Each structure stands twice: as structure tokens, then as C-alpha cells.
Amino acid sequence: MMTWIISLLILCSLIAGCSEVVEPISDIEKLRDITIEERFSESVRRDEIEKYLHKENGDNEIESDDLNMLKVSNGRAETVTKEEMLLDSHLLNQIWSHSYALYEVYGGQDSFSQAHELLTATIEDEYSEGEEANYEEFIALISDHYAFITDQQLLIDGSPFFDREHQFYITEELTFVKDDNNNYWLYKDNHKKDKVVSINGDDPDVYLLPSLNFEGELVYFPGMYTDYLPQKLWDIDLENQETIEVTVRQSGLDRLRDTSFDVYEDEEVPIIQLRNMLVYKEDSYNYEDMLGSVDQVEDESTFILDLRNNNQGHIKFAQEWYKRLTSHEPSIKSYSAQLMTPTTITFLEDKVERNREAGVEWGGLLDTEDPFNINEYHDVTRLQWSIEEMETDGITELDSTIYILIDEATSASAEILVAYLRQHPNVYIVGAPSEGAMSSGNSQLIELPHSGAKVSIPSMFRYHPQFLEKEAIGIEPDLWVYPRFARERVVKWIDNNNDDL
């Protein structure tokens, strides 16, 4: 009997020795798996942008007297008569092809003429001669008729003509985790309680978003980013208990008070706060300080880049900051097409003057105080395009792991910096989807003379197919976290995973 037992023990030890021990997948490995897809990588050729650039359409240039009427006076009417609405509508229609760089992107003369005709018909039908409408009614009429333009930098009184339809819904009422077999489990009191069978009768993957909890753990919350949410009350079917009901709610935008530049630490985690890419003369820092923030984290294995509420700046800053970090040009090949007409020159000159009065500082970022290259085209008499190809290099290996915090107010140049950075492995986006305002820039401000409505019209088209695809949708995060909690949760995540980073 003893011999048999010894033989059995030897056999068991041999079997155990030959069996592979499967190591559990770490949370950081799971995060890397999540972020494999959805990178900006599509190549682009110069001839692709040409089809989007409108040519002279036979319209005469706008008379200088009419342009002077459209200059900002800071006035605003309380009410507008029918006749005044028609006059302002006509002036707006007249200016599109002379000032809007994405005119052809959104259908050109056919689309804009149709919108104007419908707007005019609506005013004619709804208002009698001499009848007045309040200011907000007129603004709403314009927005409604031009809402086919999804460009988030085309604004009327500071708001886009098109309200983004995609909304971020989430709830932290229930928490879930995913095991190594890709099964979801209800997670409570640090334990897996019950396996998820389905949500709303479908695969749970559709309804659970990767996130971080207050303890900095990789978890999943019920949520969705969608332009159509059929139901807010969701049924979650579990294997060993009755169905649980949970309500998802829209995540709101937090306007952060501190919009400045800073470099600091939180629990020994370095944080670069770039909430603005413009420097004003009254600021205590300059562009070199902001660009030099890269040097302060060059030896760090991990750092956080806080771009929440960052919606001002020049694309040159995004490019230069990226180059300081990587010592290379960005890997995304794109084009910038600046529309140059007497109209754009007029209103870009006005913009430069307003920037000067506001104390915007260009020195240290640009070699000139002419950020729109107006002087080069000052004598232009007809429509021209200035097309610039962005210099590119291949993707290089980063020395650091970077967590980028974004929210719905992260837009324009800040979004393009995110697009540049997310080409690289070990760069993770945390928060809520960005604004989706990457395809235009260099906006001119005009004022409709009778109503006082202020319209901001982009004169530059930034072309990359994915810039257009993301317009009014934004860059989606890898970890979906309420933006106001993002920094604290990422700091805890980093602390939890230091050994694996």
C-alpha cells in the first residue's frame, strides 16, 4: 500500500510539474487590450482635400460698405422686425461662400441657397409686414435652417448652429468587473457577486463601459454614448438572482474654474495642467514655460496631462508640445486649407485687433504677430486657398505612460493634440468624449447689423477623414469617467498599478 501511495504522489507531482500555471491577467494588461482599436491612423493625400475646396462661383466680392456693416459693434436689438430679419438673412447668405472654409463640405451653393430660401419663406409666412420678433426667436430661426452644418466652431451668439446629438449616459449605481474569460460580474464589497447573463436582452458588452471607481480599480459601469437612447431604465439579468433595474443618466459638463497652466504633483504623480493654449500678457507664464512642461516630466515613468476645458489655442502649440515630448513631428498626415478673400482678410484683421486688445500674446510661439498670415495675402482681390501639409514622422516609442483627461469642452487644438498622442501605445484617454471640433479654425466674427446677432465663421479647413468623422461626436475615452472625478481616480489607479506600469 505504501509503495502505491508513493507512486501516486510521484505521478501527481509530475503532472503538476508538466502543467502550465496560467497567470491572471493584470488590470493594466486589460486596459491595454481595451485601447488597441480606435486610433487615428488613416492616410490622406493632397488630392483628397481638393474636392472640398470651393472655387469662384461667379458671385461678385462683397462691397466694402456691406463688409463694414458686418463689423462687430457690440450692439444687440431686443426685437427685430420682419423686414430687418429678411435683410440680415440676406447678408448672411451673401457672405457664406466668401468667408466659410467648409462651404463645399456642407453642400456648397445648393445647400446654402436652399437653406436661405426656406428661411426667407418661413419669415414671410410667419410674420406680417412690420411685425416684430424677439431676438431669441430670430436666432432660433437661423439656427434651425442651418442646422445641417455640424461644424462645432460655426457659432451664433456663442453656440453651435448644430447641437451635438451624441450624449454620454452613465450610472454608478451598480459596478461590474470582467474576468479573464470575458464574463461580467456584479461587483460589491470587493467581491464578485453574480455573473451577468444579459442586459436588455442583449450582449452586456453593448451596455457596459470601462471605467475607474473611487478606489482606482478597473470596473465597468452601465452606460452608453449614443445619438439615440431608446430607454433609460435598463434590465440587467443575473445568473443566480432576479433581474435588476438601473437608470442611466446624462453626464453633465463641469466648467472648471482654474483654466490656467500649471505643473504639480498629486500623491507623487506628476500632472501637467493645460487648460488653455493661449498666453495673455497678464499671465505669470509664457509659451516657453508651457512647452517646457515636457522637460519636467521627461524622467517620469507616468504622468497625467489634464486637457479638460481646454478650448483656446493655436494648432502650432499642439504641434510644438508634441515635438518637445517625442522629438518628432506628429504621425497624422493632415492638411490645413486657409480661405483667403477680401472678406476673410477684413474680418481676420478685426480678430487680430480684438486679440491685441484682449492682451493675447503670440511672441514665443509664432515668429510674427500675424497669426493668420494676413500680410502675405493682404492685396488679394479674389478667392484663393493657402494649403499647408502638416509635416509627419513615424510613430516613436514613448518613455512614459500618459493619462490624458478630457471632457466635452476639450476642443479644437487640444483635441488635435489628443489625436497626435493617442497614436502611441501606453497613452490612455480618461473622462468624457471631447467636443468634436477638429475640422475647422481661424474663425471670423461678424455681426448681423439689424439684429446684432454675432456669427463666428471658420475660415480654415483642417482636413483628415477622421477629423470630419468625429465632428460633433468627439474623441471617445478609453476609460469613461465623470470628468470631475477623473484626476483623483487616475491617481489612485496609478498608485494601485505601479508595479505593472
Side-chain angles (χ1 to χ4, degrees), residues 4-32:
W4 182 83
I5 292 173
I6 291 171
S7 300
L8 182 60
L9 289 172
I10 292 172
L11 178 62
C12 289
S13 65
L14 287 171
I15 293 172
C18 294
S19 300
E20 288 188 17
V21 177
V22 179
E23 292 290 334
I25 301 173
S26 68
D27 278 353
I28 192 67
E29 289 175 309
K30 291 178 181 177
L31 178 57
R32 286 178 184 136

Side-chain angles (χ1 to χ4, degrees), residues 124-242:
E124 291 283 7
D125 291 344
E126 294 190 5
Y127 299 90
S128 57
E129 186 176 345
E131 184 179 353
E132 294 183 342
N134 66 46
Y135 176 83
E136 287 76 16
E137 283 179 22
F138 181 48
I139 297 303
L141 278 174
I142 295 175
S143 295
D144 288 348
H145 285 82
Y146 290 99
F148 64 92
I149 308 170
T150 60
D151 182 354
Q152 293 298 283
Q153 296 207 64
L154 178 68
L155 310 175
I156 183 163
D157 273 17
S159 297
F161 282 60
F162 175 86
D163 288 329
R164 55 189 275 172
E165 296 173 342
H166 274 73
Q167 301 295 335
F168 173 31
Y169 297 87
I170 194 170
T171 180
E172 296 189 1
E173 261 183 79
L174 298 175
T175 304
F176 299 86
V177 293
K178 186 188 281 191
D179 64 23
D180 294 348
N181 296 315
N182 292 321
N183 294 311
Y184 292 97
W185 294 77
L186 179 64
Y187 186 67
K188 192 174 182 182
D189 300 327
N190 298 318
H191 289 91
K192 291 185 285 191
K193 296 294 185 180
D194 203 349
K195 187 164 74 173
V196 180
V197 175
S198 66
I199 299 180
N200 296 332
D202 297 323
D203 189 324
D205 274 322
V206 178
Y207 299 97
L208 293 175
L209 297 174
S211 186
L212 299 174
N213 61 15
F214 278 109
E215 287 72 41
E217 299 171 308
L218 178 61
V219 298
Y220 292 78
F221 290 122
M224 186 177 287
Y225 186 49
T226 180
D227 60 354
Y228 173 66
L229 188 72
Q231 59 191 86
K232 291 187 178 182
L233 186 63
W234 291 0
D235 293 328
I236 301 177
D237 297 316
L238 301 173
E239 192 171 58
N240 297 316
Q241 70 178 78
E242 295 179 0

Side-chain angles (χ1 to χ4, degrees), residues 237-480:
D237 297 316
L238 301 173
E239 192 171 58
N240 297 316
Q241 70 178 78
E242 295 179 0
T243 298
I244 299 176
E245 290 185 340
V246 66
T247 301
V248 294
R249 296 176 178 85
Q250 187 176 328
S251 172
L253 172 64
D254 295 315
R255 289 293 180 187
L256 304 176
R257 292 182 179 178
D258 187 359
T259 59
S260 65
F261 158 72
D262 198 4
V263 181
Y264 63 98
E265 288 189 355
D266 186 350
E267 299 294 333
E268 300 185 350
V269 176
I271 299 173
I272 298 175
Q273 178 177 294
L274 287 178
R275 301 256 178 83
N276 194 335
M277 292 182 181
L278 276 185
V279 170
Y280 292 81
K281 287 181 171 59
E282 62 187 27
D283 289 335
S284 59
Y285 50 86
N286 56 34
Y287 288 111
E288 182 53 40
D289 295 329
M290 296 169 73
L291 293 169
S293 61
V294 168
D295 302 330
Q296 298 183 53
V297 297
E298 63 180 350
D299 296 325
E300 301 290 345
S301 61
T302 305
F303 68 89
I304 293 172
L305 176 60
D306 187 354
L307 296 179
R308 291 173 297 175
N309 271 228
N310 188 320
N311 55 19
Q312 289 192 77
H314 197 288
I315 191 172
K316 176 79 177 293
F317 182 89
Q319 293 164 336
E320 290 298 318
W321 198 93
Y322 178 89
K323 286 162 65 175
R324 287 285 187 102
L325 179 71
T326 65
S327 301
H328 287 78
E329 300 287 348
S331 63
I332 298 177
K333 187 175 183 179
S334 61
Y335 292 88
S336 291
Q338 174 66 50
L339 175 62
M340 288 298 186
T341 66
T343 302
T344 60
I345 294 295
T346 297
F347 292 111
L348 287 176
E349 284 179 334
D350 284 356
K351 182 170 185 172
V352 170
E353 182 58 32
R354 285 196 304 276
N355 283 345
R356 187 178 295 115
E357 291 173 356
V360 174
E361 179 66 72
W362 292 114
L365 179 65
L366 304 175
D367 297 330
T368 173
E369 288 292 319
D370 179 20
F372 312 115
N373 297 322
I374 296 170
N375 291 333
E376 184 179 346
Y377 293 88
H378 199 276
D379 296 328
V380 69
T381 58
R382 58 182 179 81
L383 186 153
Q384 295 182 35
W385 289 97
S386 171
I387 304 175
E388 180 185 4
E389 178 181 325
M390 301 298 108
E391 294 184 32
T392 58
D393 283 332
I395 297 176
T396 57
E397 190 72 26
L398 295 181
D399 296 328
S400 304
T401 297
I402 308 174
Y403 294 89
I404 306 176
L405 311 185
I406 66 171
D407 62 12
E408 190 180 325
T410 304
S411 69
S413 297
E415 287 182 286
I416 290 174
L417 178 56
V418 175
Y420 290 159
L421 289 169
R422 80 173 315 189
Q423 300 298 300
H424 300 268
N426 296 335
V427 173
Y428 304 104
I429 316 302
V430 184
S434 61
E435 183 176 359
M438 292 181 283
S439 63
S440 66
N442 291 359
S443 293
Q444 320 138 83
L445 190 64
I446 71 163
E447 182 180 285
L448 300 180
H450 302 91
S451 62
K454 294 171 180 59
V455 183
S456 184
I457 303 177
S459 64
M460 175 176 280
F461 175 32
R462 294 189 179 125
Y463 177 68
H464 185 280
Q466 286 167 284
F467 290 176
L468 287 173
E469 289 168 12
K470 294 294 183 181
E471 193 67 35
I473 295 174
I475 298 173
E476 297 173 36
D478 302 310
L479 293 169
W480 300 72

Side-chain angles (χ1 to χ4, degrees), residues 47-74:
D47 63 328
E48 293 178 45
I49 190 177
E50 298 286 348
K51 64 184 178 184
Y52 292 111
L53 306 182
H54 60 284
K55 305 297 188 291
E56 301 244 28
N57 56 16
D59 291 346
N60 294 324
E61 283 296 334
I62 300 173
E63 296 291 336
S64 58
D65 288 346
D66 287 338
L67 290 180
N68 287 330
M69 286 177 62
L70 292 162
K71 289 186 175 181
V72 173
S73 68
N74 293 319

